[in-house]
Amino acid sequence: MADLDTDYVESRSPGHGRRAPRACFDSDAPRLELDGPWRFRAAAGLGDLTPGFEAPTFDDTHWDRLPVPSCWQLHGVGTPAYTNVTYPFPIDPPRVPDDNPTGEYRREFTLPGDWPAGRSVLRFDGVDSCFAVWLGGVRLGDGKGSRVPTEFDVTDALRPGRNILAVRVHQWSAGSYLEDQDMWWLSGIFRSVRLLSRPVGSLDDFFVHADYDHTTGTGTLRVETSGAARLTVPALGLTDAEPAGPHTFEDVVPWSAEQPHLYLGELTTESERVHVRIGFRTVAVEDGLLKVNGRPLLLRGVNRHEWDPETGRTLSDATMLWDVLLMKQHNINAVRTSHYPPSSEFLALCDEYGLWVVDECDLETHGFEQVDWRGNPSADDRWREACLDRMRRVVERDKNHPSVIMWSLGNESGSGENLAEMAAWTRDRDPSRPIHYEGDRDGGYVDVYSRMYADHAETELIGRGEEPATDDPARDAHRRQLPFILCEYAHAMGNGPGGLAEYQRLFEAYPRLQGGFVWEWIDHGIARHAPDGRQFFAYGGDFGEPVHDGNFVADGLVLPDRTPSPGLAEYKKVVEPVRISLDADARIIEIRNGHDFRDTSHLRFRWQAQDDGEPRAKGTLDVSVLAAGESTVLPWPELRSTGEGERLLTVVAELAHNEPWARAGHEIAWGQVLTGEPSKAYEPGLRATARRTADRLELGPARFDPATGTLRRLGDLQLEGPGLDLWRAPTDNDVLGPRLADRWRAFGLHRLTTKVLAVDPNGDGLTVVTRVAPAGSDSAMTATYHWRADEAALSLDLAVDPVGDWPLPVPRIGLRLALPGWIDTVDWYGRGPGEAYRDTTAAARLGRFRRSVDAMQTPYVRPQENGNRHEVRWARLTGDGGGLEVTGAFDLTLRRWTSEQLDEARHTTDLTPDDTVYVNLDAAHHGIGTASCGPGTLPEHTLHAGPTTLHLTLRTL
Ligand code: GAL
């Protein structure tokens, strides 16, 4: 009879017929990979199921095919939908909508003839969100918990030769109420499926306990096994030993994220050899600090969702490795697996390459906040088993990974007894790892005080142990003893985050502040194509979702295709594990090893002296090996400067040898200092007199519009402008949070008009006065341009003065001019090579750089202000037709569209170049901040309207 029982879909039960959770491991027991094309039918809901689809005789030849693993919405079945907090269905637990897209999957496989006797297990690593399984028409059971594994014992249903596996997967289920993470709603069998042989006498489970005593250097190894087994670890001299030991070893090499030493071994039984990887380390919270192997950690972390712009939450091994390598190369040392356990392959890479991991349970019920937490599953006994089951499945699966140093109960699930019980179960099962949950503010059942997006001032108070008291003195006292981490901070949405360096200074100043995890690693944009074939990345709302949260899903340090964004370069610099400080007055170099464990023997130090960015001398520095935490002071090398221009000394720490994650020469840290006066820019000498006729206004090589005083031509170069510009295409941090961009628009900053007050040619040059103001307002800026020239060059003194009230920060104060579209390259001397704004400058060093105009853009998923180069001394904008040189002290952006077009665009492909290059030469900018989620621009980075000057010299090339 057709099995159409679907009661499990709306049942709070985590599943039926499943095996008990256990560790995930590799062994030499046979396995059959069941990934690949499966037969697939998309059903609209539970009323549209295929009776008898599970029967081996069912004819599926007319069905489509769908790859396993995959997310079906990314294969044209249904559409992705993005919400942050809001459930995309009514809150009516455990019921879900009738419109419940359901995938019916079938696959045939042949059991190899030599498949061993014993038991066989069918393992699903990830199915979103709920499924039922049949083998050979026999129902095995059902399961929920999208990102934790589910196993069924299939021994009795498995047949020699041909077998038919049938799986029904439902997009929505009671489990969806526990999976309200801020991400795309995607469905299907999105991780691998395998059949595992469990031969008679094989091992079901084991638990490695490998502790390290930092006071003696002794490692203690104890492996609990589910059955009789022997342990061999050649490098520890263990052969066929009793796993339970305990075995002690003097002088083991401990495991740390900085030096991830693994001992490879084997557990053997009469029928199986199981690979084990052992990392000795002891995690503890003591003296109010989170320590590993006796040392407090400084977490330089990121929150990582699993994401690929083509395949969604299905990741290849190569993509996972790409993430790990990028993180290591950017000085990141920790990952919070927001907000669910990742593929176990990712954790294996963290063990191998070295990353501290906070492994988070697949639990979030954030949407209940919108109904004042009424009915929150965390506090409802009927959901207790579902919550506990998820926690057990993470802990059991991942318990043998040395990289995992903390368990996290989940994210944004309010509070409640179920969370407390999850913590209690975890503590009992694995007392070796502390427990994290941000929602437990008073530390009732967790071991670290964790917060998200606390601003700098509050973080500092916490660092001092002076955070505001609550009404429960006992809990306050308890909390104040806990170490503090920011499990999320520095929201990396669009341009930014600003203010990273200021956080890091606090983390390095207060021991209680043990670092944090930037939100987040990657933009979850979905690759799509515009009609003209160009690729762009889609975000919330692009699939017609009635409820969505727009581009809030694109808030990572890498763009969806894993191109590092400027934010990642900034983070790399801010968290560099070696600090190089140069003191120009004392002529000393101070080098501090900020690693938690590692000495500096893997590094070499180079220096370079530059005059006006031109290399003059270089060499290596002889730095003695510094233990973790140690520092040294060295005298300056002989700089051999010509004494001309602006002199710079740069010192770099780089890898001396190849590491598994980067090659020799890879830069880890740097420091730079100006050693002399800034160079003097070229100044026009002879004073040309401005000449005016009815239709001409000339000054030296320049021609101006006689009516408006606008510069139109310099030598042979046609141009338009420059004119005062106060606008920028609002960044995500301008748009969200306190909505500064709305205030800007209400004030009219995006629609300023210019009134010419004076065009005054005189013996000393030309003076032009304009008044720039929004309609309907008597606030304005007066811009006074004093032009002077000789036969070669033109210089400008701009004075900008506010008139009336300016009760809000200003996006920028500077000039915009338009140049011909054949300009395609820029060379500059100033900060670079990457984008930098006043609160994102750490990674931008002084030097000479060259980029194409196109490469000056940062293609944020939602177009917005980007690409600024900070503190530029000179820039040469060139192309086939010649070019323009600008000298002075300014910020520079160049783009092939206007700020207004940038502002209007929703996706990168909305921007098309016209035959003009728009150049901004700015005196100042408003900072970037991280107000899209967290603190806005710090006061010191706020641009207030005030008298501002800018001095520039222009020459044609
Ligand atoms: C946090 C949440 C994250 C993400 C972030 C904003 O509250 O834990 O999942 O939504 O805000 O991007």
Side-chain angles (χ1 to χ4, degrees):
M1 217 191 81
D3 187 346
L4 288 174
D5 172 15
T6 54
D7 287 354
Y8 59 93
V9 174
E10 294 186 340
S11 153
R12 292 181 184 85
S13 157
H16 303 92
R18 304 164 308 151
R19 297 189 77 243
R22 64 191 184 114
C24 171
F25 55 80
D26 285 336
S27 84
D28 65 351
R31 55 158 67 183
L32 196 60
E33 303 293 336
L34 296 176
D35 292 351
W38 288 41
R39 287 290 183 180
F40 180 82
R41 175 183 170 261
L46 303 189
D48 180 33
L49 305 180
T50 307
F53 92 115
E54 70 277 12
T57 52
F58 180 83
D59 177 10
D60 62 16
T61 49
H62 57 290
W63 279 19
D64 291 337
R65 289 184 198 273
L66 185 78
V68 167
S70 74
C71 305
W72 71 52
Q73 288 87 351
L74 299 179
H75 290 266
V77 181
T79 47
Y82 165 58
T83 61
N84 169 10
V85 178
T86 312
Y87 285 103
F89 46 77
I91 300 182
D92 180 25
R95 283 185 283 273
V96 291
D98 293 338
D99 179 6
N100 188 359
T102 291
E104 295 178 326
Y105 291 75
R106 291 183 98 248
R107 128 139 227 177
E108 180 179 323
F109 66 87
T110 303
L111 194 69
D114 56 356
W115 195 256
R119 308 213 68 84
S120 294
V121 167
L122 181 63
R123 179 180 179 95
F124 292 85
D125 283 334
V127 183
D128 197 326
S129 78
C130 163
F131 65 119
V133 189
W134 294 259
L135 183 62
V138 177
R139 195 176 193 282
L140 301 173
D142 53 74
K144 301 189 187 75
S146 299
R147 288 152 285 267
V148 279
T150 307
E151 287 187 338
F152 299 97
D153 190 318
V154 295
T155 315
D156 298 337
L158 198 61
R159 296 283 162 264
R162 180 174 176 268
N163 284 269
I164 298 289
L165 185 57
V167 184
R168 199 172 260 148
V169 181
H170 311 278
Q171 170 152 5
W172 307 120
S173 68
S176 305
Y177 284 97
L178 307 182
E179 296 175 3
D180 189 29
Q181 289 94 344
D182 174 5
M183 61 190 192
W184 292 101
W185 295 94
L186 294 174
S187 324
I189 306 176
F190 75 99
R191 288 185 189 155
S192 292
V193 184
R194 344 189 128 89
L195 182 69
L196 307 172
S197 155
R198 308 308 305 136
V200 178
S202 63
L203 210 54
D204 201 45
D205 195 10
F206 62 96
F207 194 167
V208 175
H209 305 273
D211 299 330
Y212 180 72
D213 181 339
H214 67 278
T215 59
T216 60
T218 307
T220 306
L221 179 63
R222 189 165 59 84
V223 183
E224 289 174 70
T225 54
S226 57
R230 308 300 293 177
L231 177 65
T232 299
V233 187
L236 292 172
L238 277 186
T239 312
D240 270 340
E242 175 56 45
H247 305 281
T248 53
F249 308 95
E250 285 172 20
D251 292 331
V252 293
V253 182
W255 189 96
S256 73
E258 292 170 4
Q259 289 171 299
H261 189 88
L262 292 172
Y263 290 90
L264 306 186
E266 254 178 17
L267 279 167
T268 45
T269 71
E270 61 191 67
S271 58
E272 185 180 33
R273 307 172 91 79
V274 173
H275 309 302
V276 289
R277 304 204 299 178
I278 297 159
F280 287 93
R281 91 276 176 286
T282 295
V283 189
V285 173
E286 55 185 27
D287 312 323
L289 295 173
L290 171 67
K291 296 183 185 172
V292 174
N293 299 340
R295 304 207 186 179
L297 299 186
L298 185 56
L299 299 170
R300 306 162 160 102
V302 286
N303 281 278
R304 175 181 177 272
H305 267 282
E306 296 190 306
W307 189 250
D308 178 287
E310 306 275 354
T311 59
R313 278 195 289 279
T314 300
L315 259 57
S316 68
D317 288 355
T319 303
M320 295 184 223
L321 178 60
W322 191 358
D323 277 350
V324 168
L325 295 180
L326 274 176
M327 288 176 191
K328 293 289 291 184
Q329 289 162 5
H330 288 87
N331 293 333
I332 288 165
N333 71 359
V335 177
R336 172 175 176 235
T337 70
S338 53
H339 297 303
Y340 42 82
S343 282
S344 19
E345 286 80 7
F346 178 76
L347 297 180
L349 293 169
C350 294
D351 294 341
E352 197 178 323
Y353 289 87
L355 287 165
W356 308 113
V357 175
V358 176
D359 196 0
E360 193 148 277
C361 186
D362 189 1
L363 177 69
E364 174 158 345
T365 64
H366 201 175
F368 282 87
E369 189 178 39
Q370 296 180 337
V371 294
D372 296 330
W373 295 107
R374 276 189 306 279
N376 181 21
S378 308
D380 180 336
D381 199 40
R382 291 169 299 175
W383 289 96
R384 179 174 169 271
E385 186 47 32
C387 294
L388 274 169
D389 172 83
R390 283 164 189 258
M391 196 67 209
R392 286 189 205 114
R393 283 152 77 192
V394 189
V395 172
E396 297 298 356
R397 189 194 75 165
D398 295 342
K399 58 186 181 273
N400 293 325
H401 289 285
S403 55
V404 174
I405 55 162
M406 264 197 265
W407 300 115
S408 177
L409 305 179
N411 186 57
E412 298 184 316
S413 299
S415 56
E417 200 44 40
N418 294 340
L419 289 158
E421 292 211 19
M422 288 163 74
W425 178 87
T426 305
R427 193 163 282 122
D428 182 56
R429 176 67 177 136
D430 179 19
S432 78
R433 291 172 173 102
I435 294 173
H436 168 270
Y437 174 58
E438 182 268 349
D440 182 19
R441 291 286 170 82
D442 43 28
Y445 42 85
V446 296
D447 301 304
V448 294
Y449 177 30
S450 172
R451 291 281 303 281
M452 44 177 82
Y453 309 108
D455 64 19
H456 300 80
E458 187 183 7
T459 302
E460 178 154 27
L461 279 181
I462 296 170
R464 294 182 198 275
E466 293 170 5
E467 68 266 23
T470 67
D471 50 14
D472 185 338
R475 290 217 159 159
D476 284 346
H478 172 67
R479 190 192 55 248
R480 285 183 211 277
Q481 290 166 9
L482 299 180
F484 179 76
I485 63 167
L486 275 168
C487 69
E488 294 178 28
Y489 79 113
H491 198 246
M493 186 178 184
N495 188 333
L500 274 173
E502 289 81 359
Y503 273 115
Q504 194 65 23
R505 276 201 280 280
L506 297 173
F507 299 161
E508 292 182 18
Y510 297 98
R512 187 190 188 195
L513 306 181
Q514 294 198 261
F517 298 82
V518 164
W519 186 267
E520 67 175 310
W521 173 242
I522 187 167
D523 287 340
H524 316 200
I526 294 180
R528 284 291 177 265
H529 290 91
D532 65 5
R534 285 182 300 154
Q535 189 187 67
F536 69 94
F537 294 109
Y539 50 80
D542 286 338
F543 299 94
E545 307 102 288
V547 185
H548 68 83
D549 289 291
N551 66 317
F552 205 63
V553 78
D555 51 3
L557 291 173
V558 297
L559 302 179
D561 61 3
R562 293 187 156 66
T563 303
S565 82
L568 183 59
E570 181 80 358
Y571 197 41
K572 175 186 178 183
K573 171 67 179 148
V574 163
V575 298
E576 59 190 8
V578 172
R579 291 274 180 231
I580 303 172
S581 328
L582 304 168
D583 184 327
D585 298 326
R587 296 177 73 83
I588 50 168
I589 302 169
E590 186 184 345
I591 298 177
R592 201 183 87 77
N593 179 7
H595 286 93
D596 294 327
F597 299 90
R598 198 171 193 185
D599 68 27
T600 54
S601 55
H602 64 298
L603 300 177
R604 64 187 182 216
F605 293 82
R606 286 190 298 107
W607 63 271
Q608 189 185 52
Q610 292 163 307
D611 288 344
D612 279 346
E614 197 65 77
R616 288 285 176 226
K618 61 181 183 181
T620 54
L621 285 180
D622 196 10
V623 184
S624 55
V625 172
L626 302 173
E630 266 183 11
S631 39
T632 189
V633 174
L634 306 168
W636 275 15
E638 178 53 57
L639 301 186
R640 293 196 289 279
S641 165
T642 58
E644 288 295 309
E646 188 172 74
R647 279 162 283 160
L648 285 174
L649 174 61
T650 309
V651 175
V652 165
E654 61 186 27
L655 290 180
H657 311 285
N658 291 345
E659 293 273 335
W661 44 271
R663 303 191 69 77
H666 169 82
E667 188 176 291
I668 300 289
W670 58 274
Q672 188 179 58
V673 75
L674 275 175
T675 72
E677 288 297 303
S679 49
K680 289 269 178 286
Y682 173 86
E683 282 300 322
L686 291 169
R687 300 285 159 87
T689 302
R691 293 182 307 277
R692 180 188 221 163
T693 62
D695 57 352
R696 289 193 135 188
L697 177 55
E698 287 177 349
L699 176 68
R703 186 175 298 174
F704 294 81
D705 182 313
T708 63
T710 308
L711 179 63
R712 291 272 190 245
R713 177 182 277 272
L714 185 61
D716 290 337
L717 184 69
Q718 297 260 6
L719 39 73
E720 172 70 30
L724 181 69
D725 191 5
L726 305 178
W727 183 238
R728 74 182 182 198
T731 65
D732 292 322
N733 290 312
D734 297 333
V735 171
L736 298 171
R739 299 189 174 277
L740 179 57
D742 284 353
R743 292 175 62 206
W744 285 343
R745 288 186 211 277
F747 198 80
L749 285 179
H750 62 309
R751 48 172 174 77
L752 296 171
T753 58
T754 301
K755 165 90 182 156
V756 179
L757 300 183
V759 178
D760 176 21
N762 50 51
D764 193 30
L766 169 70
T767 302
V768 178
V769 185
T770 63
R771 185 180 191 277
V772 176
S777 166
D778 60 0
S779 300
M781 294 274 189
T782 309
T784 307
Y785 304 74
H786 287 295
W787 294 99
R788 286 174 302 141
D790 60 17
E791 59 286 351
L794 183 66
S795 86
L796 168 65
D797 279 295
L798 171 75
V800 181
D801 295 290
V803 178
D805 281 346
W806 285 82
L808 75 184
V810 183
R812 60 162 28 106
I813 299 179
L815 295 170
R816 190 196 307 185
L817 75 157
L819 294 176
W822 49 255
I823 301 263
D824 56 14
T825 305
V826 53
D827 290 86
W828 77 99
Y829 172 48
R831 290 196 182 274
E835 167 183 306
Y837 292 77
R838 63 198 281 174
D839 55 351
T840 60
T841 58
R845 69 188 80 186
L846 286 168
R848 290 194 184 195
F849 305 100
R850 160 177 283 205
R851 286 286 183 279
S852 69
V853 169
D854 296 333
M856 293 288 275
Q857 318 306 312
T858 307
Y860 292 116
V861 168
R862 186 191 70 82
Q864 55 196 277
E865 166 66 33
N866 71 83
N868 184 62
R869 298 315 193 265
H870 191 48
E871 294 181 346
V872 173
R873 280 79 160 138
W874 56 253
R876 297 183 186 131
L877 321 176
T878 53
D880 281 348
L884 176 70
E885 181 191 77
V886 185
T887 49
F890 54 95
D891 275 24
L892 172 70
T893 57
L894 289 102
R895 49 178 73 105
R896 296 189 179 279
W897 33 78
T898 60
S899 296
E900 290 71 19
Q901 289 165 327
L902 192 58
D903 185 8
E904 263 169 36
R906 292 192 64 245
H907 297 104
T908 49
T909 44
D910 295 341
L911 293 164
T912 25
D914 58 23
D915 57 358
T916 305
V917 171
Y918 300 91
V919 182
N920 276 93
L921 305 165
D922 292 320
H925 274 269
H926 182 59
I928 297 295
T930 174
S932 55
C933 189
T937 304
L938 290 166
E940 61 269 34
H941 297 304
T942 299
L943 178 60
H944 298 287
T948 305
T949 58
L950 180 65
H951 177 73
L952 300 173
T953 302
L954 310 179
R955 274 201 292 200
T956 53
L957 295 168

